[in-house]
Amino acid sequence: MNPQPRLVEVREKVLKKNDLLARALRERFREAGVYVVSIVSSPGSGKTAFLEKTLTLLRERCRVAALVGDLATENDAARLARSQAPVKQIATGTICHLDAEMVERALDEWNLNEIDILFIENVGNLVCPSSYDLGENVRLVLLSVTEGEDKPLKYPTIFNTADIAVISKMDLAAAVEFDAAAAHQNIHAVRPGMPIFSVSAKTGAGMEACLQFFESNLSKLQNQTRV
Ligand SMILES: Nc1nc2c(ncn2[C@@H]2O[C@H](COP(=O)(O)OP(=O)(O)OP(=O)(O)O)[C@@H](O)[C@H]2O)c(=O)[nH]1
Ligand SMILES: [Mg+2]
């Protein structure tokens, strides 16, 4: 008996179950008119900082909420809660990504009709989260200026399965001699035409363009839902 094919079979089953749950979640989000943005990146590239800034600025303009996944701590939820938006931590234990079931469970006590944009910060990891659909409308991949312009080429799947890219920590770009043209070229090599925003969560530079992107997509979705 060769154990290799059995491992593949189990993995396929897990993914299939996730896809079915994600499809049901997507339908619930659509019915409630909730625009869902999931955020993926390597550990420490600034997901929580970007999200805290986004929640703080956007909550004046629409109803935002966030789920945040982490292996062990509640640190990120505590940081995001400073924005005053509703926030829930999902502790994944030893699992290196969120899945649709975890998202569904975390939403248990929330009324989706009271949310316009739901953000989901995934566990920091450039590999595992790429295979798991969470029912989101848009997957945002963050690349910080400090991690190297070649990351899209080294981890193509996470960039290829994302819909928009955000280059973060732009306030540090000069100090690390960040080559913006190379980063853009590498992102577009794996995902041609993907919109790219460049931001600093620390200074706020570039944030407004992202917020407007989220808001205009929310309007489109809510117009479709009303039809
Ligand atoms: N200078 C600067 N530092 C930043 C910026 N955004 C995040 N940082 C710093 O980068 C470090 C990691 O930021 P986090 O927001 O925790 O990153 P993360 O992607 O959420 O990390 P994990 O959830 O652990 O994967 C922290 O020390 C932040 O203060 C930024 O725009 N500029
Ligand atoms: Mg974080």
Side-chain angles (χ1 to χ4, degrees), residues 2 15 27 30 39-40 46 110 123 141 169 173 189 211:
N2 178 358
L15 284 176
E27 185 54 24
R30 195 191 63 77
I39 303 178
V40 291
W110 280 0
V123 178
V141 62
K169 309 192 190 181
L211 304 189

Side-chain angles (χ1 to χ4, degrees), residues 47-66:
K47 293 178 295 301
T48 307
F50 172 78
L51 196 45
E52 184 181 352
K53 193 78 176 172
T54 299
L55 294 173
T56 304
L57 297 170
L58 263 190
R59 71 176 279 278
E60 309 287 326
R61 292 147 64 159
C62 60
R63 299 171 303 172
V64 288

Side-chain angles (χ1 to χ4, degrees), residues 41-51 68-70 76 79 121-125 142 168-172 199-204:
S41 81
S42 56
S45 45
K47 293 178 295 301
T48 307
F50 172 78
L51 196 45
V68 52
D70 206 351
D76 286 0
R79 284 167 64 196
E121 177 182 335
N122 216 314
V123 178
N125 188 310
L142 219 80
S168 62
K169 309 192 190 181
M170 284 301 290
D171 56 292
L172 302 177
V199 307
S200 165
K202 186 174 178 180
T203 66

